[in-house]
Amino acid sequence: MDSELNRKLLEPTEEEGEKLKSKIWGESKKLWIVAGPSIFTRFSTFGISVISQAFIGHIGATEMAAYALVGTVLLRFANGILLGMASALETLCGQAYGARQYHMLGVYLQRSWIVLFISSLFLLPVFLFTTPILRFLGQDEAIAEVAGTIALWLIPVAFSFIVSFTCQMFLSAQSKNMIISYLAAFSLSIHIFLSWLLTVKYKFRVPGAMISTILAYWIPNIGQLLFVICGGCPETWKGFSFLAFKDLWPIIKLSLSSGAMLCLELWYNTVLVLLTGNMKNAEVAIDALSICLNINGWEMMISLGFLAATSVRVSNELGRGSSRAAKFAVVVAVLTSLAIGLVLFVFFLFFRERLAYIFTESRQVARAVADLSPLLACSILLNSVQPVLSGVAVGSGWQSIVAYVNLACYYLVGIPIGAVLGYIFHFDIKGIWMGMLFGTFVQTLVLVYITLRTDWEEQVALTRQRVNKWFVPRSKESNGNTQNA
């Protein structure tokens, strides 16, 4: 009798356990469908910059420091603005796709092209006047001169972000990002070959590396455009439309708040490099720090892949009207990314100095990298959670709230503490990095609190308002087309 009673009491628990396992497995599959290709694509794209730096690093220490400054400061400045503004498209496309307003995705894509192109024009002076800007910021004269030349080569790369970011977000919202991965892999292979050919075999030095870099960024863009326009997305791309020029102001406002959110985050490491550039033996300090930030950047590609996947999952479920599914998607994404972060935390604590020789032949720089490795490992651990929570913000459309959080935690907490530890207490690079890590830790805690306190039913209602506000009936959208793809 007792065994029968126990069986009846246990059965519902077992059933609930099976349902939970099935639910987790189902959500994990949906997450990885977006996260897997997204991570690989970001690895490949980030790999272009790392490969360029590796080849330039073997040309000379000054050239490597100059490329590190331009890549980490100026290119990241442009990347932050354009990626941030493009993340508005991630919100709109994800929610519209979840609401089955498929034809609106193509209109949003074209509106985003217009906004990002105008933004890129405003960024041009930064690349044209790189040398005087770096001199004004107190950088070494020789490094500033070489950086000015490299910056001019990177102007086509900055414009490539317009197509790259928007097409990736347009395709990811539909879980059609495998094509992006194939193109990224092809581009990376070409870049390795061309970099060797132009810098090692034919000795074109910096110009050779930069020509290969430009081609590596534009090859996948051309492939993505052809895929979108030539029939790869028949439900969501209905041709070029004059409606792209309509209702631009709401898109611009959302893009600006998105840009502010992500820029404040991406520029955080930029400040770290600039503060390092004013220290003694700046060349070794910048080289060591740029190597650590490159390694950290590789890991960030995993987190940014989860950011994109979380954004897609949350926006799709909110657009579909399912608050519980959106909340569950957040939990699965955070736990998955954190587990990967813990593994990498342990890995980078063990490998330290040996990783530096991929980028440099200098023992002095390698020792400096080994000294910074514990901080690098801590950064990797924090980065496994924080970007995923930012993905929740993008998927929900909270970009403006997170922008204020980033401003307070990074620039009112992290940087001042880092400056005090680095310059007043003479911890140098370590002190600056420790302060900035503390800022990231505070920001992560705030985002966790905001996410836990979120009313997901209210988010569903807000999503419906946004989707309906910018909805264009299919008949009008068709009439506004200038051509059919």
Side-chain angles (χ1 to χ4, degrees), residues 325-339:
K327 187 176 180 179
F328 190 71
V330 173
V331 174
V332 172
V334 170
L335 292 178
T336 305
S337 184
L338 178 61

Side-chain angles (χ1 to χ4, degrees), residues 34-46:
V34 180
S38 185
I39 291 168
F40 179 78
T41 301
R42 282 169 168 76
F43 262 118
S44 301
T45 305
F46 188 75

Side-chain angles (χ1 to χ4, degrees), residues 375-401:
L375 293 174
L376 172 63
C378 291
S379 292
I380 285 168
L381 188 61
L382 281 175
N383 287 342
S384 66
V385 176
Q386 178 269 324
V388 179
L389 297 175
S390 295
V392 178
V394 172
S396 306
W398 308 335
Q399 287 94 327
S400 57
I401 296 171

Side-chain angles (χ1 to χ4, degrees), residues 14 86 247 312 373 396 398 402 415 425:
E14 289 173 2
D247 293 329
V312 170
S373 289
S396 306
W398 308 335
V402 180
I415 291 173
F425 289 95

Side-chain angles (χ1 to χ4, degrees), residues 255-314:
S255 296
L256 287 172
S257 60
S258 300
M261 182 196 94
L262 213 58
C263 288
L264 290 169
E265 196 166 311
L266 292 176
W267 294 346
Y268 198 38
N269 286 340
T270 299
V271 176
L272 182 57
V273 175
L274 288 173
L275 289 173
T276 305
N278 293 314
M279 291 181 171
K280 292 179 181 178
N281 200 7
E283 194 172 277
V284 171
I286 291 174
D287 285 354
L289 184 60
S290 67
I291 288 169
C292 285
L293 291 179
N294 264 318
I295 294 168
N296 190 43
W298 280 104
E299 189 278 333
M300 272 292 287
M301 296 307 105
I302 298 174
S303 299
L304 288 174
F306 279 104
L307 185 157
T310 307
S311 171
V312 170
R313 291 295 307 125
V314 170

Side-chain angles (χ1 to χ4, degrees), residues 221-471:
N221 286 349
I222 293 167
Q224 287 173 50
L225 278 173
L226 290 174
F227 180 81
V228 170
I229 294 169
C230 298
C233 305
E235 285 187 315
T236 54
W237 177 263
K238 301 297 180 181
F240 291 100
S241 174
F242 285 117
L243 289 171
F245 296 94
K246 184 184 176 184
D247 293 329
L248 275 178
W249 180 240
I251 305 294
I252 291 169
K253 285 198 294 184
L254 184 60
S255 296
L256 287 172
S257 60
S258 300
M261 182 196 94
L262 213 58
C263 288
L264 290 169
E265 196 166 311
L266 292 176
W267 294 346
Y268 198 38
N269 286 340
T270 299
V271 176
L272 182 57
V273 175
L274 288 173
L275 289 173
T276 305
N278 293 314
M279 291 181 171
K280 292 179 181 178
N281 200 7
E283 194 172 277
V284 171
I286 291 174
D287 285 354
L289 184 60
S290 67
I291 288 169
C292 285
L293 291 179
N294 264 318
I295 294 168
N296 190 43
W298 280 104
E299 189 278 333
M300 272 292 287
M301 296 307 105
I302 298 174
S303 299
L304 288 174
F306 279 104
L307 185 157
T310 307
S311 171
V312 170
R313 291 295 307 125
V314 170
S315 59
N316 281 175
E317 295 300 341
L318 290 177
R320 197 165 62 89
S322 178
S323 59
R324 292 183 66 184
K327 187 176 180 179
F328 190 71
V330 173
V331 174
V332 172
V334 170
L335 292 178
T336 305
S337 184
L338 178 61
I340 294 170
L342 284 168
V343 172
L344 292 174
F345 171 78
V346 174
F347 176 83
F348 285 108
L349 276 179
F350 279 99
F351 275 88
R352 302 168 72 99
E353 185 175 341
R354 280 167 282 186
L355 293 168
Y357 289 108
I358 299 171
F359 304 94
T360 183
E361 296 172 358
S362 168
R363 289 187 178 181
Q364 192 178 5
V365 173
R367 283 195 296 269
V369 170
D371 199 36
L372 292 171
S373 289
L375 293 174
L376 172 63
C378 291
S379 292
I380 285 168
L381 188 61
L382 281 175
N383 287 342
S384 66
V385 176
Q386 178 269 324
V388 179
L389 297 175
S390 295
V392 178
V394 172
S396 306
W398 308 335
Q399 287 94 327
S400 57
I401 296 171
V402 180
Y404 289 118
V405 172
N406 289 353
L407 179 64
C409 296
Y410 289 156
Y411 298 89
L412 300 182
V413 176
I415 291 173
I417 291 174
V420 168
L421 290 174
Y423 288 100
I424 296 176
F425 289 95
H426 304 292
F427 287 129
D428 297 328
I429 305 175
K430 279 186 170 181
I432 295 170
W433 203 341
M434 281 189 288
M436 298 180 83
L437 270 177
F438 182 72
T440 305
F441 177 70
V442 173
Q443 184 239 22
T444 304
L445 290 180
V446 173
L447 289 182
V448 168
Y449 176 78
I450 291 172
T451 305
L452 290 174
R453 297 283 296 173
T454 297
D455 183 340
W456 291 99
E457 290 292 343
E458 183 184 349
Q459 293 305 312
V460 168
L462 290 171
T463 299
R464 282 176 182 158
Q465 287 178 18
R466 182 184 295 116
V467 169
N468 292 332
K469 182 179 177 182
W470 294 335
F471 175 70

